[in-house]
Amino acid sequence: MRRRIPARRALATALLAVSVLAPTTATPAGAAQVLASPYEVDDACPSHELDPALASRLDKAIEKVRRQAGIPGVVAGLWMPGKGSYVRATGVADKATGERMNKDVFVRIGSETKTFTATALLKLVDDGRVGLDDPISRYVPHVPNGSRITLRHLAEMRSGLFPYTDDADFQHDLLSDPQRSFTPKQVLAYGFKHKNTFAPGAQFQYSNTNFVLLGLVVEKVSGHRLAGFIEKRVLRPARLSHTLLPDSSEFPRPHPHGYTNQTLTGEVADSTDWNPSWAWAAGAMISDLHDLRSWAKTVATGTLLSPETQAQRLKMLPTGHPGTSYGLGIFKSGGWIGHNGSIPGYETVTVYLPSKKATLVLMINTDITYQGQEPSSLLARAITEIVTPDNVYDRPAPTRWAGSTLLP
């Protein structure tokens, strides 16, 4: 039976301690766990595993990438109606003890948070309380060029606002004290020191500044804290009981240790209990395999939104990277719709392929790049090359401190 998260207000005191997974001796550390009972979700859920030969190919591909890229642990879930399901946990959750990875872990989901923040905003659009073409200056004062930057520009990553995570002072302040708590206004100040990089709507630039502002819009209009609004209007209707926006470094159990080299020295550090407050509406959320599997279909098909609003969300625009386009807090890569996430120590991919009604979820406990590539993207590419060769997930290589590296 899956554990249920305690009431959100109890998390701050109940879950501050860093936890490790219960030791197991039945399987050697690093060996893959074959899960005979895939998660139970809804309608088109495959109730049987993939063909053994296909599953074996996936096992080998995942293990090859895991070892080449130095990924400590991987949780992979693939569900393909008509073909079956595939759920694996391989590698270790704790490099110090060798405790193995487990499918039932919680992880920090980085920029996948944007899909939740965008959904919260679009719920307000459906309520008639905000308009996508409203200027941000109507809701948040002192935004550079705020009278011309719309909520749509922010959600599309086309505002031209400088990414606060590119600011050298921010990088130093965060990495000097990873336990530090940042407020939204504090992180925005790092970005607002800089001139805007282009006119609103002129081009695509991935910037967490955009989604911190959208989080403030949700709070301003709803009269509730962002975490509470997402809980009530997004998580509950979507039946996601294992997903939350934490107040600090709280982390539900069990969770793997996370490893990053985004440090002042470049040395690898255990970032498990780093405070993600700096990422807030852009990347601070936590979830698990079960919830992410369900969310992939919900966000891609617009279950929680009106058809008109979902159509707006899925208006994908060029990013400058062939094969990848971006809508309102959601992207398309090789036909797969969803988002990835990266935050020091953890990376995730949650995507849905409408043409095959297939879902792919990946969770790993490192964000250390391999030959300039995000390890989660390498895994997603290897898997989709096998199961959907006509729809290969192919996210571009990230720029350090941009896109979805240290920023979520």
Side-chain angles (χ1 to χ4, degrees):
M1 179 178 296
R2 295 171 65 243
R3 296 180 179 88
R4 184 172 181 81
I5 291 181
R8 297 302 194 273
R9 69 182 61 172
L11 279 170
T13 55
L15 300 172
L16 283 174
V18 176
S19 66
V20 295
L21 303 175
T24 305
T25 58
T27 305
Q33 295 174 274
V34 179
L35 309 172
S37 300
Y39 285 123
E40 302 165 346
V41 181
D42 53 45
D43 52 76
C45 164
S47 59
H48 60 282
E49 289 199 340
L50 289 178
D51 174 79
L54 181 56
S56 177
R57 289 180 64 194
L58 291 173
D59 289 342
K60 292 175 182 178
I62 290 172
E63 193 61 13
K64 180 180 179 180
V65 172
R66 190 182 75 81
R67 293 186 181 279
Q68 284 183 339
I71 305 169
V74 175
V75 177
L78 175 69
W79 297 269
M80 302 185 71
K83 291 189 176 181
S85 61
Y86 173 92
V87 180
R88 295 289 191 271
T90 184
V92 297
D94 186 337
K95 295 197 296 185
T97 66
E99 291 173 4
R100 61 183 181 144
M101 194 60 137
N102 187 289
K103 68 180 178 66
D104 293 319
V105 294
F106 292 88
V107 295
R108 302 192 188 280
I109 64 172
S111 269
E112 290 196 32
T113 301
K114 292 178 174 66
T115 62
F116 293 93
T117 300
T119 302
L121 175 74
L122 295 175
K123 295 290 283 186
L124 293 174
V125 170
D126 275 345
D127 292 345
R129 303 181 68 183
V130 301
L132 286 171
D133 297 313
D134 292 347
I136 183 61
S137 59
R138 182 175 299 178
Y139 307 101
V140 182
H142 311 306
V143 177
N145 207 19
S147 62
R148 295 185 57 209
I149 294 171
T150 67
L151 306 188
R152 188 189 301 274
H153 289 140
L154 296 169
E156 291 175 340
M157 299 292 188
R158 291 174 176 269
S159 70
L161 290 168
F162 187 87
Y164 66 85
T165 40
D166 282 4
D167 179 76
D169 291 333
F170 167 78
Q171 295 171 17
H172 179 271
D173 291 348
L174 172 63
L175 297 182
S176 295
D177 181 12
Q179 293 297 328
R180 175 177 172 176
S181 182
F182 289 86
T183 67
K185 290 184 178 180
Q186 286 173 338
V187 297
L188 288 174
Y190 290 103
F192 290 173
K193 293 188 304 182
H194 302 266
K195 292 182 179 180
N196 291 12
T197 54
F198 52 82
Q203 64 187 70
F204 174 90
Q205 180 186 32
Y206 196 95
S207 173
N208 287 308
T209 301
N210 297 327
F211 274 76
V212 170
L213 285 168
L214 291 179
L216 291 175
V217 172
V218 172
E219 291 197 332
K220 172 79 171 181
V221 175
S222 71
H224 298 283
R225 295 182 62 198
L226 180 63
F229 186 84
I230 288 178
E231 165 73 15
K232 181 178 179 181
R233 297 296 306 279
V234 180
L235 301 182
R236 290 182 192 172
R239 299 182 180 180
L240 305 183
S241 61
H242 278 204
T243 303
L244 71 150
L245 176 58
D247 290 329
S248 57
S249 58
E250 62 198 61
F251 207 162
R253 302 181 183 190
H255 56 254
H257 285 252
Y259 302 94
T260 188
N261 63 353
Q262 296 201 68
T263 59
L264 289 178
T265 64
E267 297 295 317
V268 175
D270 186 326
S271 57
T272 308
D273 60 347
W274 285 15
N275 189 338
S277 61
W278 60 272
W280 193 51
M285 290 183 73
I286 293 167
S287 192
D288 73 351
L289 182 66
H290 179 275
D291 276 11
L292 292 179
R293 177 199 171 179
S294 178
W295 182 242
K297 181 177 180 180
T298 296
V299 73
T301 61
T303 305
L304 299 183
L305 303 173
S306 69
E308 296 78 14
T309 298
Q310 179 68 4
Q312 292 291 311
R313 172 173 225 166
L314 295 181
K315 284 186 176 179
M316 302 288 179
L317 298 175
T319 62
H321 302 286
T324 302
S325 53
Y326 205 89
L328 301 178
I330 195 169
F331 67 62
K332 179 183 285 187
S333 177
W336 293 87
I337 296 174
H339 219 290
N340 68 331
S342 184
I343 195 166
Y346 301 90
E347 287 194 347
T348 55
V349 173
T350 297
V351 287
Y352 181 80
L353 184 60
S355 63
K356 298 185 182 300
K357 299 182 179 179
T359 299
L360 173 65
V361 177
L362 295 171
M363 310 189 310
I364 64 176
N365 57 337
T366 186
D367 67 312
I368 300 173
T369 58
Y370 174 72
Q371 296 183 349
Q373 296 288 317
E374 291 178 324
S376 60
S377 293
L378 294 174
L379 285 167
R381 184 180 306 127
I383 290 170
T384 55
E385 284 176 343
I386 293 171
V387 297
T388 56
D390 293 331
N391 297 98
V392 176
Y393 178 101
D394 194 20
R395 289 273 290 150
T399 301
R400 203 60 166 169
W401 290 91
S404 32
T405 50
L406 174 123
L407 7 170

